């Protein structure tokens, strides 16, 4: 393995157009356009670029290598949900989840191997930080999902897999631009999820592309949030609220708030009142998700009956709130959980991992 924290972009989707031109140095220039179209429009691997001469295809297979190799793949919901555990070139592992619905197809992608934010309830946070993903490694997760979704068109990307997108801002934004410009997805169908990295939220407010922002709040008083989400000690709620207010004002985009309901921890009447007080002035949409228990935080999610009651209470207090539709999938689909089951960054198992039943954390209700 390479040293910690080192990003070594190496896959085909890490190359810029100019770099593809350079790879094809002795070929006529139109070839670079053909190869670029092959990668981004036809989602093809070099071997599938049958409009190229065979010798060139063979040569490109050595130069335009994949950045991701499947270490495990599970499906659920009759194939409508697909979860991959990808192995990166240096052996690190990340996950993505493809979700097909009657009206849309969405992929949830990872932005880092591991995560440094240390949220106590999160499997990825419990495992710790390994490294940033490169732009190409992020884009390639989308490409793989677009290929798998065929003949349907994948139209939505949520950056809600492993890692904190705004802690890897430049590479994530590079991926947003590629996905928008070259894969042709609308910026309004891309959603970045953050735990509350305030400088990142400020930068996002100034960006040209109007992507959606989801804030993983989970607690709206500093004492509780400091414990659940340690980054709150650096960027406390007042500062976070101010950055969100500026984001909403300058971008004109709606903010959504994620709230994982944890039994007896953040689902009491006071917690909901604090949530309402935070969300209302921002005009934010609240997504309630019952917590998925993880090995390092064996507290259960709020039972369904009380999730519904929490939603009703928020709505009654003037907050736009919905319960995130979960599918009854049992494929370790909460991001970080499949990697934990398949033993982190150990070598890929020869046979598929045993399907230990863990409930899906669905990401379906991200803004469309
Ligand atoms: N780091 C970013 C994006 C990845 S986490 C963020 O925190 O927003 C994606 C979402 O999954 C976040 O809302 C996170 O709080 C939530 N999450 C993490 N662990 C969870 C669990 N065990 N149960 C339910 N949601 C969880
Ligand atoms: Fe990182 Fe998000 Fe997990 Fe927190 S919830 S540890 S920010 S991936």
């Amino acid at each position: 393995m390479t040293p910690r924290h080192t990003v070594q972009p190496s896959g085909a989707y890490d190359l810029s157009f100019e770099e593809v031109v350079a790879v094809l140095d002795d070929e006529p220039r139109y070839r670079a356009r053909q190869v670029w179209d092959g990668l981004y429009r036809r989602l093809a691997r070099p071997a599938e670029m049958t409009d190229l001469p065979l010798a060139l295809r063979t040569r490109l297979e050595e130069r335009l290598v994949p950045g991701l190799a499947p270490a495990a793949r599970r499906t659920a919901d009759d194939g409508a949900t697909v979860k991959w555990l990808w192995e990166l070139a240096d052996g690190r592992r990340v996950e993505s989840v493809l979700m097909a619905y009657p009206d849309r197809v969405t992929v949830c992608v990872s932005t880092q191997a591991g995560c440094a934010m240390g949220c106590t309830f999160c499997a990825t946070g419990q495992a710790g930080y390994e490294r940033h993903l490169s732009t190409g490694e992020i884009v390639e997760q989308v490409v793989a999902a677009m290929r798998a979704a065929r003949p349907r068109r994948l139209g939505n990307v949520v950056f809600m897999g492993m890692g904190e997108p705004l802690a890897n801002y430049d590479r994530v934004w590079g991926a947003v631009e590629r996905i928008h410009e070259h894969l042709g997805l609308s910026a309004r169908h891309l959603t970045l999820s953050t735990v509350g990295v305030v400088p990142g939220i400020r930068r996002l407010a100034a960006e040209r592309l109007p992507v959606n922002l989801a804030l993983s709040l989970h607690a709206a008083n500093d004492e509780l949030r400091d414990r659940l989400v340690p980054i709150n000690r650096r960027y406390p709620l007042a500062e976070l609220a101010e950055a969100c207010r500026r984001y909403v004002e300058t971008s004109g985009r709606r903010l959504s708030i994620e709230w994982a309901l944890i039994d007896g921890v953040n689902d009491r009447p006071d917690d909901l009142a604090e949530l309402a007080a935070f969300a209302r002035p921002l005009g934010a949409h609240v997504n309630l998700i019952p917590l998925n228990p993880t090995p390092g935080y064996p507290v259960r999610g709020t039972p369904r009956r009380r999730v519904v009651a929490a939603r009703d209470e928020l709505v009654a207090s003037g907050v736009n709130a919905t319960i995130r539709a979960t599918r009854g999938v049992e494929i370790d689909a909460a991001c970080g959980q499949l990697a934990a089951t398949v033993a982190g960054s150990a070598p890929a198992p020869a046979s598929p991992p045993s399907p230990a039943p863990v409930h899906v954390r669905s990401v379906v209700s991200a803004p469309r």
Side-chain angles (χ1 to χ4, degrees), residues 112 114-126 160-165 193-195 216 218 228-229:
Q112 297 179 312
C115 182
M117 298 295 148
C119 303
T120 42
F121 50 84
C122 169
T124 307
Q126 289 155 16
M160 288 187 186
M162 299 166 90
E164 167 52 44
S193 177
T194 183
V195 69
S216 301
H218 309 312
L228 291 176
V229 176

